[in-house]
Amino acid sequence: MKAGIHPQYRTVIFHDTNADTHFKIRSTVSTSETIEFEGDTYPLVRLDISSASHPFYTGQQRQASSEGRAAQFRRRFGNFGTRNNAE
C-alpha cells in the first residue's frame, strides 16, 4: 500500500443520543471528542439515530391515520371560503 494516502482505521465509539446506547466499531471517521469506555479511551461520534432507535429496526412504527387523505383535507379546509353572515 502507498504510505500517507489511507485514512487511519481505528476503534471508535458511536453514541446514539436518542436511545442512549453505545456501539464500539472500527471506522475511519475523524472526530475530536473522546470517551472512556470499558477502561480505555476511544474517539467518540454522536449520532441522532441508529438501528437502536430507528422505527424500522425497533418495530415501533408510526400510527397511520385510518382517515383518507381527501377526508383529512375536507376536515381541515372544508369551511374555508364559506361565508357565515347572511345579508
Side-chain angles (χ1 to χ4, degrees):
M1 282 198 302
K2 208 174 207 182
I5 63 167
H6 299 286
Q8 182 184 5
Y9 189 62
R10 60 195 176 167
T11 303
V12 179
I13 302 295
F14 287 90
H15 178 217
D16 182 351
T17 57
N18 204 8
D20 196 30
T21 56
H22 295 81
F23 301 96
K24 186 167 90 171
I25 304 173
R26 294 188 48 90
S27 175
T28 60
V29 69
S30 61
T31 180
S32 60
E33 291 184 87
T34 59
I35 188 173
E36 189 159 323
F37 187 74
E38 297 176 347
D40 292 324
T41 302
Y42 297 102
L44 174 68
V45 176
R46 296 184 192 277
L47 303 172
D48 292 329
I49 194 161
S50 71
S51 61
S53 61
H54 193 278
F56 180 79
Y57 296 104
T58 61
Q60 299 173 350
Q61 297 289 331
R62 241 182 4 167
Q63 292 295 325
S65 174
S66 60
E67 183 178 31
R69 299 298 287 165
Q72 281 181 337
F73 182 83
R74 277 190 231 104
R75 181 176 45 82
R76 288 179 68 190
F77 302 108
N79 294 331
F80 188 74
T82 59
R83 294 185 181 218
N84 292 335
N85 56 357
E87 292 182 22

